[in-house]
């Protein structure tokens, strides 16, 4: 056996996503060993790895933490806010990874690697891809357009995504399952530049939004008369510098600065109080920086050292409307507005190969 990586890992490639015609990113993980995808609604999907989910499974986008201060311990729907067609691959690490990834990587790590231009040729080179899927069960589907190109050391990659799904069609002529359909859109752009041989500088922006996403289980159970996520939105911008020098003492390095914004709105009407409409809105603004360096002090040793620092700030509000009187009142929000969270991590890992140089 070739023990290249001493961990239980697997990879979903871009070709796998296209062949499976995955409707969402969680759906692309559904066939992976050791991963179970929990869905309480059509517009959701939470990966369960080694029996853990939510804040105990770390989600990364190109190494950037997607988990934040409001990530709950139970199943979440946030993995759906990643366009599956923008991904080059999904790397799944099963089992604890807290040494290098932090205390929330208990069940595992899911690293989403976006497409990027590999060859920044000196000549003009353009490519495009049109992909999507259609499903009769929802009378809907996804259309995604991708494009990429390069010219004289510069490159770009980007795309757009539009998706619309009606309520699920029940088999045997049973009609529709109410409160399942939703729609949304997304876009992304990545600009790259090669300042020197073996180095890459990239500036990237990602936007993805789902609209009118019903919480089907809450409605079907009778707890709620209405429950919709509106909006459900993710934005990310980052500047990334990385390099490689095979054979040198400083073998590789990376430095990343990023900003994120998560928006989540909720519209609820509870069965216990049918004349009261509840609207909640939560926003998390995050900035982060991380870096790592790989050293080769000797041919049988590889030392990797790194750090990460993030800062979250939460804005939260709640408005209740009495539909009988029209009176609007402010209620207790889900989180204290203005609350902050700042995790810091530092790690060092030494790999020793017990073989002659």
């Amino acid at each position: 056996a070739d023990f290249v990586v001493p961990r239980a890992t697997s990879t979903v490639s871009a070709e796998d996503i296209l062949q499976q015609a995955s409707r969402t990113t969680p759906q692309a993980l559904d066939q992976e060993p050791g991963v179970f995808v929990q869905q309480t609604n059509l517009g959701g999907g939470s990966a369960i790895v080694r029996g853990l989910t939510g804040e105990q499974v770390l989600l990364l986008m190109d190494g950037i933490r997607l988990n934040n201060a409001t990530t709950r311990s139970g199943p979440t729907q946030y993995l759906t806010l990643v366009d599956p067609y923008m991904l080059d691959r999904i790397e799944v690490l099963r089992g604890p990874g807290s040494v290098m990834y932090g205390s929330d990587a208990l069940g595992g790590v899911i690293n989403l690697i976006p497409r990027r231009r590999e060859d920044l040729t000196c000549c003009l080179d353009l490519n495009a891809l049109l992909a999507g899927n259609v499903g009769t069960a929802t009378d809907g589907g996804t259309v995604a357009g991708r494009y990429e190109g390069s010219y004289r050391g510069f490159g770009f990659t980007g795309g757009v995504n539009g998706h619309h799904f009606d309520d699920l069609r029940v088999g045997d002529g049973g009609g529709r399952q109410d409160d399942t359909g939703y729609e949304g859109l997304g876009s992304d752009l990545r600009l790259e530049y090669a300042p020197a041989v073996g180095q890459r500088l990239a500036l990237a922006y990602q936007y993805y939004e789902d609209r009118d996403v019903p919480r089907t289980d809450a409605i079907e159970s009778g707890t709620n008369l209405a429950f919709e996520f509106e909006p459900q939105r993710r934005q990310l911008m980052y500047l990334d510098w990385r390099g490689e020098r095979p054979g040198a003492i400083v073998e590789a390095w990376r430095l990343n600065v990023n900003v994120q914004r998560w928006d989540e709105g909720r519209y609820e009407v509870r069965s216990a109080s049918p004349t009261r409409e509840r609207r909640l809105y939560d926003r998390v603004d995050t900035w982060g920086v991380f870096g790592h360096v790989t050293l080769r002090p000797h041919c049988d040793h590889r030392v990797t050292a790194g750090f990460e620092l993030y800062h979250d700030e939460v804005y939260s509000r709640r408005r209740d409307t009495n539909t009988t009187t029209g009176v609007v009142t402010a209620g207790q929000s889900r989180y204290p507005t203005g609350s902050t969270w700042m995790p810091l991590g530092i790690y060092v890992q030494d790999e020793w190969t017990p073989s002659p140089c």
Side-chain angles (χ1 to χ4, degrees):
D2 185 12
F3 296 101
V4 177
V5 181
R7 306 294 300 273
T9 63
S10 58
T11 301
V12 182
S13 67
E15 289 75 17
D16 294 332
I17 294 173
L18 287 173
Q19 291 175 5
Q20 296 170 10
S22 301
R23 179 176 57 82
T24 63
T25 296
Q27 196 175 57
L29 290 167
D30 199 32
Q31 303 300 317
E32 287 306 291
V35 179
F36 174 75
V37 177
Q38 185 269 0
Q39 287 187 281
T40 54
N41 59 344
L42 192 66
S46 185
I48 299 176
V49 184
R50 296 288 171 89
L52 299 175
T53 191
E55 65 181 2
Q56 296 174 325
V57 174
L58 178 60
L59 304 181
L60 301 175
M61 168 57 73
D62 203 8
I64 302 167
R65 297 173 63 92
L66 297 185
N67 294 36
N68 58 43
T70 65
T71 302
R72 55 184 177 271
S73 58
T76 66
Q77 73 275 23
Y78 306 124
L79 195 56
T80 61
L81 295 178
V82 176
D83 179 3
Y85 294 102
M86 70 165 286
L87 299 177
D88 178 70
R89 64 188 184 276
I90 306 173
E91 298 174 348
V92 181
L93 185 151
R94 302 185 296 279
S98 297
V99 172
M100 293 187 67
Y101 296 102
S103 59
D104 49 356
L106 295 175
V109 180
I110 297 175
N111 194 8
L112 308 155
I113 308 297
R115 295 175 184 261
R116 48 178 173 252
R117 187 69 177 176
E118 296 297 336
D119 182 21
L120 303 184
T121 63
C122 62
C123 304
L124 180 63
D125 183 27
L126 301 173
N127 298 281
L129 169 69
L130 182 64
N133 60 72
V134 176
T136 57
T138 59
D139 287 339
T142 301
V143 176
R146 305 294 310 171
Y147 54 86
E148 64 175 65
S150 58
Y151 181 69
R152 296 184 180 274
F154 290 88
F156 63 89
T157 306
V160 293
N161 176 300
H163 48 281
H164 174 85
F165 305 100
D166 285 335
D167 289 339
L168 280 168
R169 189 190 302 276
V170 180
D172 295 328
R176 300 276 186 176
Q177 182 180 1
D178 294 334
D179 303 305
T180 52
Y182 70 100
E183 62 183 11
L185 54 88
S187 64
D188 65 275
L189 177 64
R190 181 186 181 96
L191 305 176
E192 298 189 76
Y193 171 61
V197 176
Q199 296 187 36
R200 284 291 181 95
L201 189 64
L203 177 65
Y205 174 75
Q206 299 173 11
Y207 174 95
Y208 202 86
E209 178 178 356
D210 286 335
R211 301 170 178 169
D212 301 319
V213 184
R215 175 75 184 270
T216 309
D217 64 314
I219 300 172
E220 291 296 319
S221 67
T223 304
N224 287 71
L225 298 176
F227 195 137
E228 289 185 349
F229 293 105
E230 172 60 31
Q232 187 169 283
R233 184 187 305 123
R234 178 184 70 88
Q235 298 181 76
L236 168 65
M237 178 179 285
Y238 61 95
L239 181 65
D240 190 87
W241 177 48
R242 67 181 76 193
E244 294 182 350
R245 298 173 60 190
I249 294 180
V250 181
E251 188 176 64
W253 69 89
R254 184 181 182 189
L255 181 64
N256 184 288
V257 180
N258 56 82
V259 290
Q260 297 184 69
R261 171 168 287 184
W262 293 84
D263 297 274
E264 181 181 284
R266 298 187 180 197
Y267 169 72
E268 298 182 40
V269 178
R270 298 189 175 182
S271 301
S273 51
T275 61
R276 177 179 295 177
E277 293 181 341
R278 176 174 297 173
R279 295 184 182 273
L280 302 100
Y281 172 74
D282 303 312
R283 186 183 75 223
V284 182
D285 292 321
T286 303
W287 62 258
V289 57
F290 70 86
H292 65 251
V293 61
T294 301
L295 307 174
R296 276 284 193 176
H298 194 264
C299 59
D300 60 357
H301 276 270
R302 175 188 284 115
V303 178
T304 302
F307 76 96
E308 65 175 23
L309 173 66
Y310 289 87
H311 179 274
D312 291 350
E313 184 167 358
V314 180
Y315 172 78
S316 185
R317 71 168 184 257
R318 171 182 155 188
R319 297 289 184 271
D320 293 345
T321 302
N322 188 314
T323 57
T324 302
T325 64
V327 175
V328 179
T329 57
Q332 182 176 349
S333 58
R334 298 178 66 218
Y335 310 106
T337 289
S339 56
T340 61
W341 182 54
M342 182 180 289
L344 168 67
I346 300 173
Y347 65 89
V348 177
Q349 175 177 282
D350 184 14
E351 300 174 65
W352 172 54
T353 303
S355 61
C357 298

